[in-house]
Amino acid sequence: MPHKIKQYILQTLRASEGTWVSSEALRQPFDISRAAISKQVRGLREKGYRIESSPRKGYRLFGRADVLAPESLYLHLEGTRFAKGTIKVSEVTQSTNDDAKQLALEGCAEGSLVLADIQVAGRGRRGRVWFGNQGDSLLFSMVLRPPLEPMRCGLLPLLVAVAVREALDKLGVKGVGIKWPNDLLVDGRKIGGILCEISTDFDRVEYAVVGVGLNVNNEADSFPDELSETACSLKMATGETWSRLDILTEILRKMDQMLRQAWSGNFRNILEDWRRSTLTSGNRVTTTLPNGSKIQGTALDIDDSGALLLKDDHGKIHLLTSGEIS
Ligand code: BTN
């Protein structure tokens, strides 16, 4: 209920575009006291919304705060699957992927979201740690319930990489490329990664948790030493400060459209978009196999399952279904 009240207050103040809204108008639909409205407004201010109050005139909202909070997300994501599920925002958590798994096990709806400002145990692919500093990165995970065979879910991270790239392109961040399978790079440096974890029951997918980490307003000196040469943020790449709310909204709106196609079994356009955005095909790459041996060669393309076709220096073609290339 408090979420719904906050959402209503925000929606009403936003709709009145900076003009005053009486406390009476805000309290009526819920039949609650003016003091209760004032308490909810205090909560919104604590989250960063700039709301002015006057005993005679009521309340008015200034600007468009970049606040990642359930009530603003429900508003921005209206009409998508992401506004129909649970939205959980924490300041600090272990890993949003773990929180999303918990929600999935509790039976949450597809599209449920978990966001955090800080992860103390953020995970990357292949057991690596994912770094993200306070308030500057986008760290989020979503619960999906793919009506697909488990094998086809290997395409999900590729879909998400395309959605992030296209969302950023639409917002004016040009030149983001995808390195197989789903690293997002600018000028050869990583700005984002995707971790997709799937739970299956025989040949049925119970749920997929897709986690995205995107470096948004991180400064160059905020990355740990071991990442200083390889990591980058949108701010470092463009010199601008970005609204995490705008970026997240754009990514999720794009994903909602793409998932509609994917859930009908059609990944053709998504694979085409991936091929257009990849930095991998045509380049010399090296990959390390699970047994430690290395293959060097030229990346040719991906097949319809998202596996990478690699032609080694002896002309032999390899099909890589997972792993890392450099
Ligand atoms: C990679 O190795 O490139 C994937 C990184 C994925 C990081 C994100 S941050 C949000 C979500 N929670 C996690 O613990 N990991 C993912």
Side-chain angles (χ1 to χ4, degrees):
M1 185 72 166
H3 268 345
K4 286 257 173 290
I5 302 174
K6 282 200 186 79
Q7 195 176 330
Y8 178 77
I9 295 175
L10 263 187
Q11 204 161 9
T12 314
L13 293 183
R14 204 166 267 156
S16 48
E17 296 177 344
T19 57
W20 293 98
V21 179
S22 71
S23 174
E24 184 59 23
L26 294 176
R27 72 156 206 95
Q28 246 175 10
F30 300 97
D31 198 17
I32 54 174
S33 66
R34 286 164 183 241
I37 291 293
S38 153
K39 185 171 165 214
Q40 297 303 323
V41 169
R42 270 203 306 282
L44 285 168
R45 283 192 190 124
E46 276 160 22
K47 288 181 177 183
Y49 293 100
R50 288 171 56 214
I51 301 174
E52 192 185 357
S53 58
S54 144
R56 278 188 309 110
K57 298 180 195 157
Y59 299 95
R60 65 176 177 175
L61 178 70
F62 284 107
R64 192 175 174 287
D66 184 23
V67 179
L68 294 179
E71 48 288 334
S72 59
L73 288 166
Y74 280 120
L75 279 182
H76 282 81
L77 296 169
E78 212 171 309
T80 72
R81 75 198 65 215
F82 301 107
K84 295 186 185 125
T86 307
I87 301 184
K88 197 176 150 194
V89 182
S90 335
E91 249 168 63
V92 185
T93 191
Q94 294 285 314
S95 152
T96 55
N97 262 38
D98 292 346
D99 297 342
K101 268 187 209 170
Q102 189 53 41
L103 281 183
L105 292 171
E106 288 163 11
C108 72
E110 160 154 296
S112 292
L113 284 174
V114 181
L115 289 96
D117 268 339
I118 304 175
Q119 290 184 128
V120 288
R123 284 182 280 118
R125 289 174 59 238
R126 301 165 76 77
R128 284 189 290 242
V129 170
W130 184 261
F131 166 82
N133 48 6
Q134 185 166 9
D136 288 333
S137 314
L138 259 178
L139 307 167
F140 64 99
S141 302
M142 61 199 98
V143 177
L144 300 175
R145 303 205 178 267
L148 302 172
E149 290 167 16
M151 284 285 289
R152 301 222 75 204
C153 289
L155 290 169
L156 256 183
L158 277 67
L159 178 155
V160 183
V162 171
V164 175
R165 200 204 77 86
E166 291 193 358
L168 292 175
D169 187 78
K170 187 166 170 201
L171 290 168
V173 186
K174 305 293 170 188
V176 177
I178 305 173
K179 187 183 96 165
W180 183 84
N182 48 38
D183 282 351
L184 293 148
L185 307 187
V186 178
D187 293 335
R189 289 172 168 231
K190 185 153 166 173
I191 55 156
I194 294 151
L195 178 67
C196 186
E197 299 175 302
I198 291 173
S199 166
T200 56
D201 177 19
F202 294 103
D203 56 354
R204 200 179 66 83
V205 179
E206 286 181 318
Y207 63 83
V209 164
V210 181
V212 180
L214 189 66
N215 304 328
V216 180
N217 294 320
N218 316 63
E219 302 288 350
D221 59 6
S222 67
F223 289 104
D225 288 347
E226 63 274 21
L227 297 180
S228 64
E229 299 288 306
T230 52
C232 184
S233 69
L234 295 180
K235 186 171 185 185
M236 286 161 67
T238 62
E240 283 173 52
T241 301
W242 292 86
S243 149
R244 292 185 305 158
L245 178 62
D246 286 350
I247 294 173
L248 180 66
T249 308
E250 205 56 55
I251 293 174
L252 294 175
R253 290 200 161 275
K254 187 76 210 162
M255 271 200 67
D256 190 58
Q257 289 165 17
M258 292 170 74
L259 286 173
R260 230 172 291 152
Q261 265 187 33
W263 280 189
S264 70
N266 178 4
F267 279 90
R268 222 183 30 238
N269 296 340
I270 293 156
L271 284 165
E272 280 314 306
D273 290 343
W274 190 93
R275 288 186 175 107
R276 264 201 302 275
S277 333
T278 187
L279 302 164
T280 301
S281 303
N283 279 323
R284 296 250 339 134
V285 297
T286 303
T287 184
T288 309
L289 298 177
N291 65 10
S293 64
K294 288 192 187 315
I295 306 178
Q296 287 197 328
T298 306
L300 299 178
D301 194 3
I302 49 167
D303 73 3
D304 287 351
S305 69
L308 182 71
L309 292 162
L310 174 67
K311 186 176 179 184
D312 72 18
D313 292 342
H314 309 288
K316 187 172 166 204
I317 307 282
H318 301 259
L319 194 62
L320 306 180
T321 50
S322 65
E324 191 84 352
I325 54 165
S326 56

